Amino acid sequence: MNPMVIIMRKLLTVSLFALLAGVAQADELKPARHGDFAHYTFALAWLPGFCTAGGEGCLPSQPKEELIGLHGLWASEPKSLEDKGVKVQQWWASGCAMLPHVLAIPVLSEELRQRLKETMPQLASDLQTHEYVKHVQCFGFDANEFFSTALQMREAVVDSDFGRYLSAQAGQIRTGTDVKDAFVKGYAGERGALQLRCAKDAKGRNVLTELWFTLKKDKLDSFPEVDSFMDTPAAEREDTCSRPFVLPGW
């Protein structure tokens, strides 16, 4: 065999091994402190809806290649706060500010920053820093590992039958039942594990803005297998897509 071919094969094998090792490491997401929470909410943004409805809107420089973007990965209220009588709504509003923490901008690799720029809504308030400060740093998660894991989870959805179904609906009107039926078909997951978020856009249309998945705390490494999903606790249900909605395209 040509020596150059042998060398290239060896390099490819080493690179693939390193890539797989990196994926396995990123999936081992364990809180270093305040780990007494029950589950995660994994929030994906339907970018054309998220960027044109409600809130502050996305910057003009928002990349428009992706339909399904990353919003965040949020730990539920720690039991230590529940035991103090802190309402879950307070936790949603304040997050890590309710626990000992240090305010710091996440130090991320250039590659990771670029990928987040492509997939996260680009807001004037800098969403990735907001996510880190409010939802990540008080748990002791390494910023690079945390966002790498969240991005891998997003890719798993985009590359799934459910993700392809969503992408095929761009520009169409659908109902929550339609989307949840596709979710159950794609993952055999709990119907109650998926919450849909809608809002009015500038044209007055009811549009899809986000998809929230409720996930077991110790099963992130198996996402999106069926055993990673759980029914959303009744007190935490925030589904706002009771009427038909548009999945706008760019």
Side-chain angles (χ1 to χ4, degrees):
M1 182 180 291
N2 187 312
M4 184 58 68
V5 174
I6 294 175
I7 292 173
M8 291 301 292
R9 285 186 174 181
K10 287 183 177 180
L11 288 174
L12 180 61
T13 300
V14 171
S15 298
L16 181 59
F17 178 80
L19 177 62
L20 292 175
V23 170
Q25 182 179 9
D27 284 343
E28 292 296 323
L29 194 60
K30 303 290 184 182
R33 51 187 178 270
H34 308 302
D36 57 337
F37 58 90
H39 57 271
Y40 289 98
T41 297
F42 180 48
L44 295 179
W46 182 260
L47 287 171
F50 188 98
C51 286
T52 58
E56 56 188 306
C58 296
L59 297 174
S61 59
Q62 169 72 42
K64 296 181 179 179
E65 287 74 37
E66 305 282 1
L67 291 170
I68 302 172
L70 172 66
H71 185 168
L73 180 62
W74 311 322
S76 61
E77 183 181 359
K79 189 174 185 302
S80 58
L81 293 180
E82 290 182 2
D83 290 344
K84 294 178 181 179
V86 174
K87 300 296 184 183
V88 68
Q89 290 78 12
Q90 292 175 268
W91 170 248
W92 291 342
S94 301
C96 282
M98 305 193 76
L99 297 168
H101 64 283
V102 176
L103 296 178
I105 296 175
V107 179
L108 304 174
S109 70
E110 180 57 34
E111 180 182 359
L112 189 55
R113 282 200 301 271
Q114 181 58 36
R115 193 61 184 136
L116 288 172
K117 183 177 180 180
E118 295 168 354
T119 58
M120 291 193 88
Q122 297 301 299
L123 308 176
S125 58
D126 187 5
L127 183 57
Q128 69 190 51
T129 297
H130 167 80
E131 289 297 299
Y132 179 78
V133 169
K134 183 175 181 180
H135 299 289
V136 181
Q137 45 87 27
C138 61
F139 293 100
F141 294 120
D142 174 81
N144 283 274
E145 289 184 3
F146 182 88
F147 283 113
S148 293
T149 296
L151 282 171
Q152 288 166 12
M153 293 168 65
R154 174 206 167 263
E155 291 292 337
V157 174
V158 171
D159 293 338
S160 70
D161 287 344
F162 180 59
R164 286 185 284 274
Y165 162 83
L166 289 172
S167 295
Q169 308 311 308
Q172 303 299 312
I173 297 175
R174 293 292 178 262
T175 67
T177 298
D178 295 333
V179 174
K180 291 185 180 184
D181 282 348
F183 166 70
V184 172
K185 180 180 179 181
Y187 298 129
E190 296 266 1
R191 177 177 291 271
L194 173 62
Q195 300 181 78
L196 303 175
R197 304 281 291 171
C198 290
K200 294 284 188 180
D201 70 0
K203 299 178 181 178
R205 301 178 303 176
N206 192 40
V207 299
L208 180 68
T209 59
E210 297 188 73
L211 303 98
W212 292 358
F213 304 88
T214 305
L215 306 177
K216 297 174 184 175
K217 170 184 167 183
D218 59 348
K219 294 293 184 178
L220 289 189
D221 57 351
S222 66
F223 179 83
E225 298 296 327
V226 61
D227 68 341
S228 65
F229 297 102
M230 60 175 279
D231 193 36
T232 305
E236 299 181 23
R237 290 175 189 161
E238 290 280 298
D239 198 305
T240 60
C241 293
S242 58
R243 297 187 296 104
F245 50 84
V246 180
L247 289 86
W250 286 116

